[in-house]
């Protein structure tokens, strides 16, 4: 169960209305005054992971709601680690993970939501999207040449193209919410200084070399443009039915605690329960017991 203190912590990072939202009001290094030891953090995380597993079991059994968790961040902010740890306890049958890379030729032949919508979670399941349709107003906005590759009719690509995309994303998320999908969006907010440290660790430590990509350093050069795009994206799409969480990401243990708590809180709010057995079903169960001898 999410206690009051955790609720307060979550409120700090949850954005349900884009009005007046400013990224600079959010500190990447914040840990909500929780200067805790490593093993204590691990125990807290385990509690969250266990609770998430219980809730997921009911979500699956009930087969009504679905949950879409979107993860967005700059490189090395900890998306992969957060996903790995937060969902470590859930039944793999009940969740579906998708990582979205640059779109391929077939995907570019469709509208931008197409490839994401085919990856949405079924009822009863948790969908984890490592990057998402938000890339369409982030990387594509920072690199307009990607937009040029999308084969849109030129008459439809005007100055307001980014606002229009944000409007379409917001409308689509509202639609999903009305269809029974709980939409949760996480922006892992890492600082530029911490990103540099993590890149250097990827260069220095042989077992991390595989994570390093020179292209990530190029993207770092566009930091301010990315931050401006993130701010606009959050402003344009934050809603009660599809909140953003601007999660401090300079301390990995804290990021993971916030993410798991936010998902647990959302699931607890659904009033999940195992399907009720009807009288007829009960009678059938008793009949089956007898038949077993
Ligand atoms: P990640 O960087 O998410 O940890 P990765 O390093 O395994 O994953 P990459 O090959 O870097 O995988 O793929 C992700 C890249 O794809 C990112 O740079 C992202 O900006 C880009 N990308 C995702 N969606 C789009 C899109 N719609 N248009 C252009 N580029 C995109
Ligand atoms: Mg990458």
């Amino acid at each position: 169960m999410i206690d009051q203190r955790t609720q307060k912590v979550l409120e700090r990072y949850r954005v349900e209305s884009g009005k007046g939202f400013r990224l600079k009001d959010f500190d990447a290094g914040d840990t909500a005054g929780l200067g805790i030891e490593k093993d204590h953090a691990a125990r807290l995380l385990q509690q969250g992971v266990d609770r998430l597993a219980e809730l997921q079991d009911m979500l699956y059994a009930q087969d009504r709601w679905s949950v879409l968790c979107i993860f967005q961040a700059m490189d090395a902010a900890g998306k992969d680690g957060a996903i790995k740890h937060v969902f470590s306890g859930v039944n793999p049958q009940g969740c579906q993970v998708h990582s979205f890379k640059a779109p391929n030729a077939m995907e570019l032949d469709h509208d931008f939501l197409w490839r994401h919508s085919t990856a949405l979670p079924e009822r009863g399941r948790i969908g984890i999207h490592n990057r998402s349709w938000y890339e369409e107003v982030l990387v594509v906005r920072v690199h307009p040449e990607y937009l040029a590759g999308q084969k849109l009719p030129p008459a439809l690509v005007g100055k307001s193209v980014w606002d229009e995309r944000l409007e379409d994303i917001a409308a689509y998320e509202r639609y999903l919410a009305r269809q029974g999908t709980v939409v949760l969006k996480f922006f892992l907010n890492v600082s530029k200084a911490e990103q540099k440290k993590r890149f250097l660790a990827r260069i220095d430590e042989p077992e991390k070399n595989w994570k390093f990509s020179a292209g990530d350093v190029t993207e770092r050069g566009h930091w301010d443009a990315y931050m401006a795009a993130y701010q606009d994206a959050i402003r344009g799409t934050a809603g009660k039915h599809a909140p953003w969480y601007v999660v401090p990401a300079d301390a990995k243990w804290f990021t993971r605690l916030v993410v798991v708590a936010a998902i647990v809180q959302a699931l607890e709010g659904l009033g999940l329960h195992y399907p009720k057995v009807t009288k007829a079903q009960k009678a059938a169960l008793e009949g089956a017991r007898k038949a077993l001898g």
Side-chain angles (χ1 to χ4, degrees):
M1 285 288 274
I2 294 293
D3 58 25
Q4 275 194 337
R5 179 155 179 230
T6 312
Q7 281 180 26
K8 276 238 164 75
V9 171
L10 288 175
E11 264 167 42
R12 278 162 91 134
Y13 311 126
R14 185 167 48 237
V15 184
E16 292 186 333
S17 157
K19 220 173 152 216
F21 170 78
R22 290 184 316 182
L23 209 43
K24 69 172 188 267
D25 294 337
F26 290 77
D27 177 6
D30 190 18
T31 54
L34 269 178
I36 58 177
E37 289 144 32
K38 225 178 173 172
D39 54 332
H40 186 203
R43 251 179 296 136
L44 281 180
L45 179 62
Q46 194 54 48
Q47 282 172 16
V49 166
D50 292 346
R51 180 69 183 136
L52 179 56
E54 283 171 13
L55 289 159
Q56 186 221 9
D57 203 49
M58 281 190 274
L59 182 86
Y60 190 85
Q62 204 177 14
D63 202 18
R64 292 292 179 273
W65 297 95
S66 52
V67 180
L68 173 63
C69 298
I70 287 179
F71 290 88
Q72 286 291 156
M74 296 298 281
D75 289 303
K79 281 185 286 113
D80 291 13
I83 291 168
K84 174 169 146 184
H85 285 89
V86 166
F87 297 99
S88 59
V90 300
N91 180 348
Q93 293 214 74
C95 64
Q96 298 153 333
V97 195
H98 293 270
S99 295
F100 292 98
K101 318 274 177 195
N104 63 28
M106 183 172 78
E107 290 166 342
L108 287 172
D109 254 344
H110 290 268
D111 63 277
F112 79 82
L113 289 174
W114 178 76
R115 66 171 179 155
H116 303 282
S117 63
T118 59
L120 288 171
E122 304 160 49
R123 292 194 193 282
R125 293 205 164 80
I126 300 178
I128 302 158
H129 287 196
N130 183 350
R131 302 185 186 270
S132 66
W133 41 59
Y134 284 100
E135 291 294 324
E136 294 290 336
V137 289
L138 297 166
V139 67
V140 181
R141 187 170 188 175
V142 172
H143 296 280
E145 65 273 20
Y146 293 160
L147 185 64
Q150 294 190 352
K151 302 191 352 189
L152 288 158
L156 299 182
V157 186
K159 266 206 188 116
S160 50
V161 64
W162 309 115
D163 287 338
E164 287 166 9
R165 285 192 169 196
L166 288 172
E167 202 180 292
D168 292 337
I169 290 172
Y172 194 58
E173 289 178 355
R174 175 172 293 283
Y175 161 77
L176 291 177
R178 287 179 172 151
Q179 287 294 307
T181 301
V182 176
V183 183
L184 301 171
K185 303 173 292 194
F186 298 97
F187 170 49
L188 306 194
N189 182 27
V190 75
S191 68
K192 201 175 176 190
E194 178 63 24
Q195 190 201 46
K196 180 176 172 181
K197 268 196 210 159
R198 294 185 189 173
F199 279 172
L200 288 174
R202 289 178 179 189
I203 294 168
D204 292 338
E205 299 171 34
E207 66 281 10
K208 288 188 180 168
N209 283 169
W210 66 274
K211 288 191 198 173
F212 185 75
S213 138
D216 293 353
V217 177
T218 317
E219 290 317 291
R220 176 180 165 82
H222 300 290
W223 187 274
D224 293 345
Y226 271 108
M227 291 305 118
Y230 268 108
Q231 181 166 285
D232 269 4
I234 294 170
R235 273 190 191 159
T237 62
K240 244 187 153 38
H241 61 282
W244 272 102
Y245 285 87
V246 180
V247 187
D250 281 3
K252 289 179 182 171
W253 63 268
F254 189 66
T255 308
R256 296 166 189 172
L257 284 181
V258 171
V259 171
V260 78
I263 301 171
V264 165
Q265 187 186 45
L267 289 179
E268 284 183 344
L270 298 178
L272 298 171
H273 54 79
Y274 288 102
K276 295 217 169 68
V277 180
T278 61
K279 266 192 182 155
Q281 284 168 326
K282 232 179 207 159
L285 287 174
E286 282 312 317
R289 189 203 301 283
K290 281 200 187 111
L292 286 167

